[in-house]
Amino acid sequence: MNIGILYSRIRKDEKLLLSELRERDHEITKIDVRKHQFGLDGTTADIEDLDIVVDRCLSTSRSLYATRFIDHYGVPVVNGPETADVCADKAKNSLALDDAGVPTPETKVAFTTDSAMEAIEEFGYPCVLKPVVGSWGRLMAKIDSKSAAEAILEHKKVLGHYEHKVFYIQEFVDKPGRDIRVLATDGEPVAAMTRSSDHWLTNAAKGGETDDFGLDDRALELVEQASDAVGGGLLGVDLMEVGGEESGEYTVHEVNHTVEFKALDSCVDIDVPAAVVDWLESKAAAENEELTTA
């Protein structure tokens, strides 16, 4: 099997994936999106003989456009552009989850500072202000007072990018000092971990401590539903325990499409890269069978 890897930087996650692919003697075509052009009729990247392409772009914009073009050329790509489009935008993510009946935090979007302030006041304090596009907990703010809200909104008002003019506001979920990250392939969990911290942000990228987590029936159900809601693929589904630790009550606050798994691999007994490659092999085989029978 010849697998293409879309990337802009090779991190530990990609190294784990590449190592597993090489151990199985798969051909690998690395596609550095910084060095190629993508046109309506083709690309400078070598994609002709690829069985499947895996999107590992660090940049959201590069991921969205590169996968769209790869899909346009008729080459199977995971995650697909539709899934990437939904997951890359927190507002679209929230809408997709709500449309599918998946419990998710109460959310409002406003387009002016005055309207955003009204929404914040309606939520009460604390509440959370997030960028619609972003990862690793960057530019997220827990707002504890009106004065803090005014200062943060004024700061965002003068930032240049149009996305900062979209004010994405959520209720503050009083989670038990941790959240849950589930790596799933088309809704089937590979492994799960908790991310714990004294800080309200528990992301591993922010220094949260990780530990293995066993999913109960309700969590399994929500992971499958959340995956279906965004179109399936290799996803990171993030849950919070709304009824307290081990309550069995959850809200799904986000689904990630270029999910990192190095922290997960280091804290669970499952060989995460091997499970991901198992899925890629089955995905590529199914795509090829579909092409030959079409």
Side-chain angles (χ1 to χ4, degrees), residues 86-99:
V86 173
C87 291
D89 186 300
K90 288 182 174 60
K92 294 179 182 178
N93 210 317
S94 293
L95 287 167
L97 292 171
D98 189 63
D99 285 344

Side-chain angles (χ1 to χ4, degrees), residues 12-62:
K12 184 175 180 180
D13 305 86
E14 287 71 50
K15 289 178 181 178
L16 289 168
L17 188 59
L18 290 167
S19 176
E20 184 65 29
L21 289 168
R22 291 184 179 117
E23 283 186 16
R24 302 190 191 195
D25 295 323
H26 290 304
E27 293 182 65
I28 300 167
T29 300
K30 292 193 287 185
I31 303 169
D32 186 341
V33 295
R34 299 169 297 179
K35 298 179 179 179
H36 292 286
Q37 300 87 48
F38 300 85
L40 300 180
D41 298 323
T43 173
T44 57
D46 183 13
I47 65 169
E48 186 175 347
D49 297 321
L50 297 181
D51 294 295
I52 197 165
V53 172
V54 183
D55 173 28
R56 298 299 305 172
C57 288
L58 191 60
S59 162
T60 298
S61 59
R62 291 169 181 168

Side-chain angles (χ1 to χ4, degrees), residues 137-170:
R138 295 175 300 187
L139 297 178
M140 292 173 57
K142 177 186 173 187
I143 301 177
D144 292 307
S145 67
K146 183 174 182 178
S147 60
E150 290 171 340
I152 292 167
L153 291 176
E154 180 63 26
H155 178 73
K156 286 180 72 67
K157 183 179 177 180
V158 299
L159 292 175
H161 200 281
Y162 81 93
E163 287 170 347
H164 291 296
K165 307 302 187 292
V166 180
F167 301 98
Y168 176 91
I169 306 150
Q170 278 190 333

Side-chain angles (χ1 to χ4, degrees), residues 84-259:
D85 182 63
V86 173
C87 291
D89 186 300
K90 288 182 174 60
K92 294 179 182 178
N93 210 317
S94 293
L95 287 167
L97 292 171
D98 189 63
D99 285 344
V102 177
T104 195
E106 181 65 29
T107 301
K108 293 183 180 181
V109 167
F111 303 108
T112 67
T113 54
D114 288 344
S115 181
M117 192 69 219
E118 289 179 14
I120 289 169
E121 291 278 283
E122 288 169 3
F123 272 119
Y125 303 101
C127 62
V128 179
L129 181 66
K130 301 179 181 180
V132 286
V133 175
S135 55
W136 304 318
R138 295 175 300 187
L139 297 178
M140 292 173 57
K142 177 186 173 187
I143 301 177
D144 292 307
S145 67
K146 183 174 182 178
S147 60
E150 290 171 340
I152 292 167
L153 291 176
E154 180 63 26
H155 178 73
K156 286 180 72 67
K157 183 179 177 180
V158 299
L159 292 175
H161 200 281
Y162 81 93
E163 287 170 347
H164 291 296
K165 307 302 187 292
V166 180
F167 301 98
Y168 176 91
I169 306 150
Q170 278 190 333
E171 65 171 313
F172 176 75
V173 177
D174 189 16
K175 60 189 178 184
R178 69 183 192 181
D179 71 354
I180 300 158
R181 159 63 58 86
V182 185
L183 180 70
T185 52
D186 286 330
E188 182 68 30
V190 171
M193 66 179 180
T194 56
R195 302 178 296 188
S196 305
S197 175
D198 292 334
H199 194 277
W200 73 279
L201 288 173
T202 53
N203 307 56
K206 290 285 188 181
E209 296 182 2
T210 59
D211 196 13
D212 189 9
F213 182 78
L215 298 169
D216 59 27
D217 289 343
R218 179 56 175 160
L220 290 168
E221 179 184 27
L222 289 176
V223 168
E224 182 178 8
Q225 290 176 352
S227 175
D228 290 345
V230 301
L234 175 63
L235 302 168
V237 181
D238 293 342
L239 305 94
M240 292 184 286
E241 297 155 293
V242 294
E245 193 168 317
E246 298 182 4
S247 65
E249 299 176 39
Y250 306 94
T251 185
V252 179
H253 58 282
E254 196 168 53
V255 183
N256 303 272
H257 74 288
T258 49
V259 57

